[in-house]
């Protein structure tokens, strides 16, 4: 099978078909498809449709549950602690953040603790949901699965890739969206590199024996390799904060406890802030504009802001289609067939390679 270049609408409809066939309600399938395809559009293929085979595998062995609803554990006008019951994170986080948006609009600030959700995907998606509602947001997330990242100064994996995100809306401009894993590479990016047959950048991965390696398959071998935190002690410190705030504070589980076999469980602490209710909405955007102008002054014209790379990739992929490597595509099609969904023949046309931008 060759690399493919897929139109976003056809891809979205195919993903809806897959999750509907796998037992999800129409609404659930639509939210999952919207999240996965948007991740591909933003250039984060690690959290896009390439996740489908893992989700279907987890669903089939009972590590992921379809059609769950949030359990509201404790709540006031300004906070919510809720349990995602192991359901699709694309639905659990969407619903939790939507409740937070209502509370932040009423109270000025809202805190939402979502615990025990299956994989909530690209965290910037949740910052974008808040920014679209005019809200600033901060998200601390932990990951409970087979640990993949060593603490700074350690040689054994003890945490996941614990992501962090901040979103800040701007008047008449796209929001600032900072969104990254606290490891040098997200696990999904290592999977994409392996599927593409590409080496990893040096300094991101160790073998189980502690030797540096650029071979992505080492992370998925037995014994498995170990990712390193970004920024040495600083990335480790932020990862540690994600573990404590995302999980311990929300009543969720940290990586130290038992795992649910193959599941990737996320806990997320989100803080939502309404500049309007704070009385700072009128000055926030102009001050950001002034600051950006200062940052990019002189020889700094090419400096990128958080979210710029994703915006450029989104524009390209809107125009040209979403590139998917051959291995990932064949795994997606195999997973679809397992649940009884078939890709429409038009989607299976191989990419015109000269048009395809190589996937990151
Ligand atoms: P990354 O290394 O690509 O960093 C992305 C961030 O850096 C973005 O804010 C981007 O705008 C900014 N950026 C990139 N290049 C830049 C440049 N040249 N100048 C300025 N800013 C720049 O991201 P990542 O660590 O690979 O994470 C990928 C995705 O994986 C994220 O969406 C993250 O939320 C997700 N993730 C999810 C989980 C989970 O368990 N749900 C775990 C880890 C990561």
């Amino acid at each position: 099978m060759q690399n493919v270049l897929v139109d976003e609408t056809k891809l979205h409809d195919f993903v809806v078909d897959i999750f509907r066939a796998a037992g999800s309600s129409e609404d659930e399938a639509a939210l999952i498809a919207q999240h996965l395809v948007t991740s591909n559009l933003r250039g984060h293929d690690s959290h896009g449709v390439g996740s489908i085979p893992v989700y279907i595998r987890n669903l089939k062995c009972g590590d992921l549950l379809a059609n769950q609803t949030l359990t509201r554990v404790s709540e006031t006008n300004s906070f919510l602690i809720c349990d995602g019951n192991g359901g699709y994170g694309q639905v659990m986080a969407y619903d939790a953040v939507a409740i937070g948006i209502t509370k932040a609009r009423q109270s000025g600030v809202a805190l939402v603790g979502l615990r025990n959700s299956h994989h909530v995907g690209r965290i910037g998606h949740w910052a974008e949901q808040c920014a679209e509602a005019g809200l600033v947001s901060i998200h601390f997330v932990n990951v409970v699965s087979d640990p993949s990242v060593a603490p700074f100064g350690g040689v054994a994996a003890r945490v996941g890739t614990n992501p962090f995100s901040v979103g800040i809306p701007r008047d008449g401009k796209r929001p600032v969206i900072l969104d990254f894993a606290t490891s040098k590479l997200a696990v999904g990016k290592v999977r994409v590199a392996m599927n593409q047959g590409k080496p990893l950048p040096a300094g991101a991965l160790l073998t189980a024996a502690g030797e540096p390696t650029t071979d992505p398959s080492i992370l998925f071998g037995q014994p498995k390799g170990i990712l390193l935190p970004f920024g040495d002690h600083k990335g480790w410190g932020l990862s540690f904060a994600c573990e404590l705030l995302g999980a311990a504070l929300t009543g969720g589980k940290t990586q130290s406890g038992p795992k649910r076999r193959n599941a990737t469980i996320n806990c997320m602490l989100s803080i939502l802030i309404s500049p309007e209710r704070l009385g700072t909405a009128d000055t926030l955007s102009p001050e950001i504009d002034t600051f950006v102008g200062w940052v990019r002054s002189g020889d700094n014209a090419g400096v990128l802001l958080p979210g710029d790379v994703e915006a450029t990739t989104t524009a390209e992929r809107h125009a040209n289609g979403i590139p998917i490597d051959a291995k990932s595509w064949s795994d997606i099609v195999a997973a679809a067939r397992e649940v009884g969904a078939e890709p429409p023949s038009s989607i299976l046309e191989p990419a015109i390679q000269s048009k395809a931008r190589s996937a990151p």
Side-chain angles (χ1 to χ4, degrees), residues 142-291:
N142 94 322
V143 186
V144 176
S145 62
D146 197 12
S148 48
V149 184
F152 177 69
V155 288
R158 287 288 180 268
V159 288
T161 52
N162 293 359
F164 173 74
S165 183
V166 174
I168 305 170
R170 298 177 69 183
D171 291 343
K173 298 193 174 73
R174 65 166 180 272
V176 174
I177 302 289
L178 175 67
D179 171 31
F180 53 69
T182 50
S183 49
K184 278 189 176 149
L185 292 173
V187 169
K189 291 222 163 120
V190 183
R191 171 179 46 77
V192 172
M194 182 174 73
N195 287 350
Q196 293 175 341
K198 291 184 179 166
L200 300 178
L205 184 65
L206 303 177
T207 66
E211 297 298 325
T213 178
T214 58
D215 175 357
S217 69
I218 297 289
L219 184 61
F220 306 101
Q222 278 307 333
K224 65 181 245 179
I226 303 159
L227 286 166
L228 295 171
F230 84 88
D232 298 334
H233 56 291
K234 301 178 190 187
W236 158 236
L238 185 54
S239 167
F240 190 70
C242 285
E243 195 76 30
L244 301 193
L245 297 178
L249 180 63
T250 63
K253 297 287 178 216
T254 63
Q255 267 282 16
S256 53
K259 315 287 182 288
R260 195 186 305 158
R261 292 179 297 182
N262 295 316
T264 299
I265 296 294
N266 284 142
C267 301
M268 175 164 78
L269 180 80
S270 301
I271 301 164
L272 291 73
I273 304 165
S274 165
E276 204 174 309
R277 295 303 303 272
L278 260 57
T280 60
D282 290 348
T283 52
L284 175 65
S285 254
E287 192 58 29
I288 295 174
D289 291 349
T290 305
F291 179 64

